[in-house]
Amino acid sequence: MDYTQTNPIPMPPGGAFSSVRGTLETVFDWQYELRKKNLLSLYEKGKTLAWNASDVDWSIDVDIERLAHSRVQNGLGKIMNDVLQPPVKLGDEELMKMQLHTNAFMLSQFLHGEQGALLATAKIVQNVPWEEAKFYAANQVSDEARHVEVYHRYLTEKLGLSYEVHPSLGRLLDDIILDPRWDVTFLGMQILVEGLALAAFGVLRMQMADEPLIQDIVGRVMADESRHVGFGVIALENIYRHGMSAAELREREDFIISATELLRERLLVTPVFERLGWDADVWTRWSIDTPFMRGFRQMTFSKIVPNLKRLGLLTPRVRDAYEKLDLLKYEHMKDSVEEPEAPPPHELVELLMQFIQSSATEGAAAAS
Ligand SMILES: [Fe+2]
Ligand SMILES: [Fe+2]
């Protein structure tokens, strides 16, 4: 695919390339038993539903500044200042900048996460012991290459604004790639990173309802991601409930708790405040404390929690950590086998409906 990178992605402090040296056991499966039928049917689905990045209508013009401006005119400013109560009241210009940069930051982290998924899944092809999981992972590798392709093109050709990888996301991706245990790669990538991405993509689609190109891209990527998360759940089913020692299980609990911390940090948009020249400490503190942002960070775990529960990983230690983060409210939601897609959490829909209603009331008051 040929496209113009009008604005290349900025480099992280370490430069254009970084490498991690882990030990990887590559496993051949000479029996080709293909026992897990549900995994094979997911593999068939993956092949049938593959799409091409060139199928996307790249001729759609994306005037993101115009969209941001019209949202401000339609009441977003009042919502931001009255409901979210930022440390400093934001004028129209700052509201525009905040939207443009937050959006570019989120999409950039999606791009970097997709590269992580590409590499982690290539690793799974090598070290997962069963042939049918190797098949599926191979199919996922090509999905992830496409995801990197579409997000990169959108950011560099259409948006013209982007961010380097968030240090916490970079660290988590390193941890996942470095870990020699195949189940931890699945746990880190398919259950945690992709589970969070699935929920965050849904939020982005709602926020960008007025931009048809990103709607199409994210819709395509989400359909793939829901299969990937399902792949993780099916592959890990029964692994933790049977045949793992208490010490091994404790290591997985430690991994989940530390990865959860990194995922939550990755959602903080501190780099945006720094680039805008705003007081990053004050603004980060606000985004940690303000109920809407706190709610947003919690919602991104709405698929992760039921999936961990299904796998038997909502153990007392993990429950304790999740209780403190107020994440256990999602434990009764449907997991990725019961419900492969990730509908936006109802709290978010409710909140956005309130916003829409309040701006409609504003508009009616202004017109009368
Ligand atoms: Fe992906
Ligand atoms: Fe994926």
Side-chain angles (χ1 to χ4, degrees):
M1 189 166 63
D2 191 23
Y3 58 93
T4 320
Q5 294 186 36
T6 49
N7 191 346
I9 306 286
M11 291 303 110
F17 301 99
S18 72
S19 60
V20 285
R21 190 180 290 270
T23 47
L24 174 66
E25 196 171 65
T26 300
V27 182
F28 288 84
D29 174 6
W30 301 118
Q31 58 182 353
Y32 308 97
E33 210 177 4
L34 309 180
R35 270 184 315 154
K36 289 181 182 279
K37 298 295 172 217
N38 47 2
L39 209 51
L40 285 167
S41 64
L42 204 61
Y43 173 53
E44 285 304 316
K45 222 173 180 179
K47 286 186 290 182
T48 311
L49 297 174
W51 45 276
N52 193 329
S54 324
D55 298 340
V56 172
D57 182 4
W58 293 101
S59 70
I60 295 174
D61 180 46
V62 180
D63 189 344
I64 198 76
E65 293 195 9
R66 185 182 56 76
L67 294 176
H69 181 73
S70 86
R71 290 180 204 142
V72 171
Q73 297 308 309
N74 288 328
L76 182 77
K78 183 165 173 52
I79 289 163
M80 270 295 297
N81 284 316
D82 291 359
V83 182
L84 302 187
Q85 298 193 331
V88 180
K89 195 166 178 192
L90 298 172
D92 287 2
E93 189 61 27
E94 283 107 352
L95 283 162
M96 290 268 298
K97 280 189 189 160
M98 191 167 176
Q99 280 186 78
L100 297 177
H101 281 261
T102 309
N103 181 48
F105 173 81
M106 271 178 74
L107 282 163
S108 301
Q109 303 317 311
F110 290 161
L111 166 70
H112 304 309
E114 296 293 358
Q115 183 182 185
L118 173 68
L119 300 180
T121 313
K123 183 185 151 199
I124 287 175
V125 175
Q126 293 196 59
N127 69 355
V128 71
W130 329 295
E131 197 67 9
E132 61 271 48
K134 290 179 188 293
F135 286 177
Y136 188 85
N139 188 251
Q140 185 179 334
V141 168
S142 68
D143 287 348
E144 304 301 359
R146 224 163 45 226
H147 299 173
V148 173
E149 195 181 348
V150 287
Y151 281 130
H152 184 257
R153 181 167 184 177
Y154 186 81
L155 278 158
T156 58
E157 190 184 70
K158 297 291 176 178
L159 222 48
L161 183 64
S162 57
Y163 277 76
E164 61 271 41
V165 64
H166 188 295
S168 299
L169 177 61
R171 224 184 98 197
L172 178 57
L173 297 178
D174 282 356
D175 288 351
I176 292 170
I177 300 288
L178 275 171
D179 202 295
R181 298 160 298 187
W182 65 264
D183 73 287
V184 176
T185 312
F186 270 105
L187 197 51
M189 184 47 68
Q190 270 81 355
I191 305 299
L192 295 169
V193 174
E194 297 190 304
L196 182 132
L198 203 47
F201 288 166
V203 173
L204 181 92
R205 276 190 102 186
M206 292 181 77
Q207 285 173 339
M208 298 283 283
D210 48 5
E211 206 291 82
L213 182 57
I214 199 68
Q215 288 294 317
D216 184 30
I217 290 172
V218 177
R220 287 168 186 267
V221 174
M222 275 180 84
D224 294 343
E225 295 305 345
S226 62
R227 280 197 311 279
H228 302 167
V229 178
F231 171 45
V233 175
I234 292 170
L236 296 177
E237 193 114 66
N238 299 324
I239 296 276
Y240 301 112
R241 290 187 191 277
H242 311 284
M244 200 161 267
S245 71
E248 287 170 326
L249 200 57
R250 195 176 171 86
E251 287 169 10
R252 273 63 179 182
E253 291 171 342
D254 289 340
F255 177 81
I256 293 168
I257 293 166
S258 99
T260 297
E261 199 46 51
L262 291 171
L263 278 176
R264 286 171 56 82
E265 281 170 23
R266 159 252 179 276
L267 291 168
L268 293 175
V269 297
T270 310
V272 168
F273 304 135
E274 285 167 352
R275 199 182 293 182
L276 290 175
W278 299 359
D279 187 330
D281 288 342
V282 171
W283 280 89
T284 302
R285 177 51 44 204
W286 165 74
S287 68
I288 289 171
D289 292 339
T290 197
F292 177 80
M293 306 290 266
R294 218 167 42 214
F296 166 70
R297 282 192 296 279
Q298 285 171 359
M299 284 167 211
T300 55
F301 281 80
S302 59
K303 212 68 201 180
I304 292 175
V305 178
N307 284 339
L308 288 175
K309 188 175 184 186
R310 184 180 181 101
L311 297 175
L313 287 170
L314 222 44
T315 59
R317 283 184 73 217
V318 175
R319 288 189 77 87
D320 192 40
Y322 275 27
E323 175 83 71
K324 290 188 183 113
L325 300 171
D326 196 17
L327 295 176
L328 289 179
K329 57 187 170 193
Y330 300 120
E331 69 168 309
H332 300 298
M333 288 183 73
K334 289 190 170 124
D335 62 53
S336 288
V337 173
E338 294 165 331
E339 180 191 57
E341 61 283 351
H346 71 274
E347 298 110 302
L348 180 72
V349 177
E350 265 173 29
L351 200 57
L352 289 174
M353 286 309 290
Q354 277 174 22
F355 281 2
I356 291 164
Q357 277 158 9
S358 85
S359 43
T361 318
E362 280 300 305
S368 62

